[in-house]
């Protein structure tokens, strides 16, 4: 698999921001189809284009929380 985001999509079909008190999630508009590895590869591209990422602590971050993490890290 390409990365942790793709592995999460492969296993759970969606991403949930793992920042405490954040309820954001990413769900691909494309219905998950077989083979799931191909679908998750396409879905992760869309998620990354929307700003979803893995933070420096290894947690899934939505675009808003990822931006806040960068600001906090720079300060």
């Amino acid at each position: 698999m390409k990365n942790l985001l793709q592995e999460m999509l492969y296993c759970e079909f969606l991403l949930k921001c793992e920042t405490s008190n954040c309820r954001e999630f990413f769900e691909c508009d494309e219905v998950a189809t077989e083979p799931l590895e191909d679908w998750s590869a396409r879905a992760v591209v869309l998620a990354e284009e929307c700003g979803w990422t893995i933070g420096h602590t290894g947690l899934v971050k939505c675009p808003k929380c990822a931006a806040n993490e960068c600001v906090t890290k720079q300060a």
Side-chain angles (χ1 to χ4, degrees), residues 11-45:
C11 295
E12 300 179 22
F13 305 111
L14 61 88
L15 298 173
K16 184 201 173 297
C17 185
E18 295 178 312
T19 302
S20 60
N21 297 323
C22 184
R23 301 197 189 302
E24 292 296 313
F25 67 93
F26 173 84
E27 189 170 24
C28 185
D29 289 337
E30 179 186 341
V31 176
T33 57
E34 297 286 337
L36 287 178
E37 190 166 346
D38 293 345
W39 172 84
S40 63
R42 292 189 302 274
V44 77
V45 169

Side-chain angles (χ1 to χ4, degrees), residues 1-4 6-8 10-11 36-38 40-41:
M1 298 254 161
K2 180 181 175 186
N3 61 31
L4 183 58
Q6 183 178 352
E7 289 179 27
M8 302 264 311
Y10 181 88
C11 295
L36 287 178
E37 190 166 346
D38 293 345
S40 63

